[in-house]
Amino acid sequence: MHTEDRSIHFSTELLHAPVQHRVPALQKLYFDLTQTRTGYDSTDFSTPPQFRFHSKRDANTQSVALFLPDRLVLIEEWAGIPLSGFLDKVREVGPRVLGVIGQACFLAQTVTLRSTFELTHFDDARVFLLDHACRQDGCISPHFQRPIAVGGLRFVLPETPAHRGAFHVIVESFRHNVKEIFVEVKAVYGQRLEGDAMEQAVANIEEVRGFITDNMFPYLEQFDQPREAIS
């Protein structure tokens, strides 16, 4: 398996006590962000109570800051920036939003990261996952009697005394490239983000990224071997 994955999605939800956002305050926030490296190209205040700042680089790649009554959501879809750039946005936007809403901390956080891994010894990720890793060769088609477009695995890893956050993991064949494995990890952190809140938020995101590189990669790589090596 190729050691470098391809990051395609970063997002985080920073939950706070419910508020009613005021458009003038968000307009000022938008202007203030344009004076930084993490600004957005346009705004949309047309569908209250949901407001957003956004930038679109091509048909798929976009950056969004979504303002809901109980949370700030930062999204990089088909990410056109590295994770470090996303972390800079979290550091920049998060404290400003707390100032706008007049609150001292965020109450909880979710993190969602999506990546793809390119296989070395298999040309079809469906065969790799279902027939090879899960030993389902010949067990599916007789019952479903139709082709499989996407197949995979789902894991829920609860929080433990040794591991913060509950992790929801999806591993699938990637529908846009049959030779790639799609991995999504969504983490839910229920603790308040107080004190140096943004550095804790950033640390949570980095922890999820570390799970993809340090745990998901070796998990998948153990199966991406020449067939005779593990038959």
Side-chain angles (χ1 to χ4, degrees):
M1 180 171 291
H2 292 207
T3 55
E4 292 293 329
D5 62 322
R6 180 166 63 101
S7 295
I8 61 175
H9 175 98
F10 313 129
S11 65
T12 188
E13 297 178 310
L14 296 165
L15 283 72
H16 52 72
V19 297
Q20 185 172 349
H21 285 293
R22 296 180 297 110
V23 170
L26 291 179
Q27 288 173 325
K28 182 179 184 306
L29 173 61
Y30 173 77
F31 174 78
D32 290 344
L33 289 173
T34 64
Q35 310 305 303
T36 74
R37 294 184 302 170
T38 58
Y40 294 85
D41 294 340
S42 56
T43 62
D44 184 353
F45 300 121
S46 63
T47 55
Q50 174 179 299
F51 306 107
R52 68 179 187 144
F53 304 162
H54 55 97
S55 302
K56 195 164 188 178
R57 295 175 181 84
D58 55 41
N60 296 314
T61 302
Q62 60 178 329
S63 303
V64 179
L66 189 61
F67 303 90
L68 300 172
D70 67 344
R71 71 195 63 195
L72 163 68
V73 187
L74 299 177
I75 305 167
E76 296 293 322
E77 190 64 68
W78 292 101
I81 61 175
L83 181 64
S84 59
F86 180 64
L87 299 181
D88 287 342
K89 287 193 174 185
V90 173
R91 290 186 177 102
E92 190 73 51
V93 180
R96 294 176 184 269
V97 169
L98 286 177
V100 167
I101 65 178
Q103 296 185 21
C105 66
F106 291 108
L107 304 179
Q109 180 184 17
T110 72
V111 178
T112 301
L113 302 185
R114 297 173 185 147
S115 290
T116 66
F117 289 94
E118 186 172 350
L119 297 168
T120 299
H121 299 286
F122 290 81
D123 294 324
D124 190 321
R126 295 165 298 186
V127 173
F128 168 75
L129 274 178
L130 299 179
D131 295 352
H132 182 62
C134 296
R135 307 287 186 177
Q136 292 294 296
D137 189 12
C139 300
I140 298 174
S141 295
H143 300 281
F144 292 175
Q145 298 179 358
R146 61 176 65 193
I148 297 173
V150 175
L153 303 166
R154 178 173 181 264
F155 305 94
V156 177
L157 311 177
E159 184 168 5
T160 72
H163 301 92
R164 296 173 53 254
F167 283 26
H168 299 253
V169 181
I170 294 174
V171 182
E172 294 178 342
S173 54
F174 189 41
R175 62 189 179 92
H176 298 286
N177 186 337
V178 72
K179 198 172 179 178
E180 290 183 303
I181 296 293
F182 169 85
V183 173
E184 176 188 278
V185 180
K186 180 174 182 177
V188 180
Y189 295 95
Q191 302 89 347
R192 288 174 176 262
L193 302 177
E194 298 181 296
D196 200 354
M198 288 307 99
E199 287 311 310
Q200 183 59 62
V202 164
N204 290 341
I205 297 168
E206 291 176 329
E207 182 175 53
V208 177
R209 176 61 186 159
F211 184 83
I212 291 176
T213 57
D214 299 339
N215 300 85
M216 294 308 305
F217 172 75
Y219 168 72
L220 293 169
E221 188 184 35
Q222 70 180 326
F223 302 112
D224 189 18
Q225 306 292 332
R227 296 194 185 210
E228 61 271 14
I230 59 174
S231 59

